[in-house]
């Protein structure tokens, strides 16, 4: 049986579509199962569970042969590292108690860094916990999600400025969530692999924010530009939106470190195996343009 966490996220939504047609027994764990499409309730096992609740995860993952694990972000956490520590302990206990033989873990580029990268270093805690379970584990480390641009939907609908903590010249390996789901589905459905492995996922190309936003502006027929905001300005906006002080500080730490080091120094090198197909233009046509025009 395949068990999937975070089924309503950017990757989870695509992954469920691929797995639901595979013929494999599927269990879906969700904090809010009512948000799932009705057909999943009718055809799959759906269980309510919060990822940070070790007891609930142990009960919900009983009988699992392969687990797809996502560590959810918590922007209101008073202590971000403690939050990731709870997630790490939760999945470690579930895998050990239920003797889950295989885990596919959605991590991030840079997760090899134990400190200095804010939430990404929190994912390092989760990776290390899974490595201690004795299970066969694949850690997927994708780059910058194209879906991050959806957080700028207001600016994209007009002719505006897109605020980032990163400089516009910073280059990212940009990947669509659907390509991550494709890679995860192949791994989850393949019974032949074993051991611990790290699989980077880099999308089709590295793009600077300026180049990406220029391309999106051309596709949308709008004048768009990036604006690098200060750490203090971000903190003010984050706190006004209800985010915790520690999360805001952690996010600033991540962005500043990436801005100094660059993605190429943080993660694995690009290879044919880490390069996926969906271009920014194709993603924008399929995902972004319909959302912009729905306004």
């Amino acid at each position: 049986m395949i068990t999937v966490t975070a089924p309503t996220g950017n990757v989870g939504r695509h992954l469920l579509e691929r797995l639901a047609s595979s013929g494999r027994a599927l269990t879906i764990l969700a904090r809010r199962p009512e948000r799932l499409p009705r057909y999943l309730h009718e055809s799959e096992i759906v269980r309510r569970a919060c990822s940070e609740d070790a007891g609930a995860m142990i009960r919900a993952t009983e009988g699992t042969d392969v687990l797809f694990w996502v560590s959810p972000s918590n922007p209101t956490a008073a202590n971000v590292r403690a939050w990731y520590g709870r997630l790490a302990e939760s999945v470690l206990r579930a895998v050990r108690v239920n003797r889950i033989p295989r885990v596919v873990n959605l991590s991030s580029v840079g997760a090899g860094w134990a400190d200095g990268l804010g939430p990404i270093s929190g994912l390092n805690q989760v990776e290390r916990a899974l490595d201690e379970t004795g299970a066969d584990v694949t850690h997927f480390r994708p780059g910058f999600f194209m879906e991050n641009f959806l957080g700028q939907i207001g600016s994209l609908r007009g002719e505006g400025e897109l605020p980032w903590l990163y400089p516009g010249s910073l280059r990212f390996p940009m990947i669509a969530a659907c390509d991550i789901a494709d890679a995860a589905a192949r791994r989850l459905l393949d019974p032949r692999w074993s051991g611990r492995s790290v699989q980077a996922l880099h999308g089709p190309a590295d793009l600077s924010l300026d180049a990406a936003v220029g391309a999106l502006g051309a596709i949308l027929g709008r004048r768009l530009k990036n604006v690098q905001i200060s750490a203090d300005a971000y903190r003010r906006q984050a706190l006004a939106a209800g985010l915790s002080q520690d999360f805001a500080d952690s996010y600033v730490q991540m962005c500043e470190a990436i801005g100094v080091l660059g993605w190429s120094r943080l993660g694995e090198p690009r290879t044919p195996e880490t390069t996926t197909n969906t271009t920014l233009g194709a993603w924008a046509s399929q995902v972004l343009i319909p959302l912009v025009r729905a306004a």
Side-chain angles (χ1 to χ4, degrees):
M1 178 175 68
I2 299 173
T3 297
V4 174
T5 65
T8 59
N10 286 321
V11 174
R13 292 183 295 105
H14 293 289
L15 180 60
L16 288 183
E17 293 175 0
R18 289 148 178 77
L19 295 178
S21 61
S22 70
R24 288 283 300 274
L26 182 62
T27 295
I28 303 165
L29 308 187
R31 185 183 298 267
R32 298 181 179 86
E34 62 275 8
R35 294 185 177 181
L36 294 169
R38 183 179 297 276
Y39 81 90
L40 291 173
H41 290 271
E42 296 171 348
S43 59
E44 313 296 346
I45 299 171
V46 177
R47 294 172 178 166
R48 184 183 299 274
C50 298
S51 296
E52 73 277 15
D53 184 336
M57 288 302 301
I58 290 169
R59 293 188 294 273
T61 56
E62 186 175 357
T64 297
D65 297 310
V66 57
L67 171 67
F68 179 70
W69 175 263
V70 179
S71 300
S73 177
N74 183 358
T76 64
N79 185 319
V80 173
R81 292 305 293 265
W83 167 257
Y84 283 101
R86 289 197 294 276
L87 294 173
E89 178 66 15
S90 177
V91 69
L92 181 150
R93 290 181 58 192
V95 172
R96 279 184 171 171
V97 170
N98 291 319
R99 298 182 180 180
I100 299 172
R102 289 188 177 89
V103 181
V104 176
N105 173 43
L106 181 58
S107 191
S108 171
V109 165
W113 290 57
D115 293 294
L117 281 180
I120 293 179
S121 293
L123 294 175
N124 176 272
Q125 292 177 259
V126 177
E127 286 197 11
R128 286 187 286 114
L130 285 168
D131 291 343
E132 293 171 6
T133 64
D136 297 326
V137 181
T138 295
H139 300 294
F140 279 119
R141 292 181 180 173
F144 183 96
F145 282 36
M146 294 176 189
E147 282 73 10
N148 289 336
F149 288 107
L150 300 180
Q152 308 276 15
I153 197 71
S155 296
L156 291 167
R157 282 172 173 160
E159 293 189 355
E161 299 176 340
L162 280 68
W164 307 92
L165 279 165
Y166 303 111
S169 59
L170 186 63
R171 294 171 65 84
F172 296 89
M174 293 192 182
I175 186 167
C178 61
D179 286 356
I180 301 171
D182 286 340
R186 288 193 297 269
R187 201 65 164 167
L188 290 165
L189 294 169
D190 183 357
R192 296 169 296 179
W193 61 275
S194 62
R196 177 197 184 268
S197 63
V198 171
Q199 174 65 57
L201 296 170
H202 291 143
D206 291 0
L207 297 172
S208 71
L209 283 175
D210 285 341
V213 169
L216 293 177
I219 291 169
L220 295 170
R222 290 165 168 79
R223 296 178 183 175
L224 303 171
K225 68 175 182 177
N226 292 306
V227 174
Q228 185 178 9
I229 62 173
S230 69
D232 287 342
Y234 170 78
R235 288 188 179 97
R236 288 193 298 271
Q237 295 171 11
L239 295 177
L243 281 61
S244 73
Q245 182 70 59
D246 194 56
F247 183 88
D249 291 341
S250 181
Y251 189 80
V252 167
Q253 181 191 58
M254 177 189 74
C255 294
E256 289 183 341
I258 292 171
V260 170
L261 296 170
W263 283 97
S264 61
R265 292 178 59 187
L266 294 175
E268 296 69 35
R270 178 182 289 278
T271 68
E273 290 72 28
T274 71
T275 300
T276 57
N277 295 327
T278 303
T279 64
L280 183 66
W283 172 82
S285 297
Q286 297 163 10
V287 178
L288 183 63
I289 290 176
L291 289 175
V292 170
R293 291 178 176 171

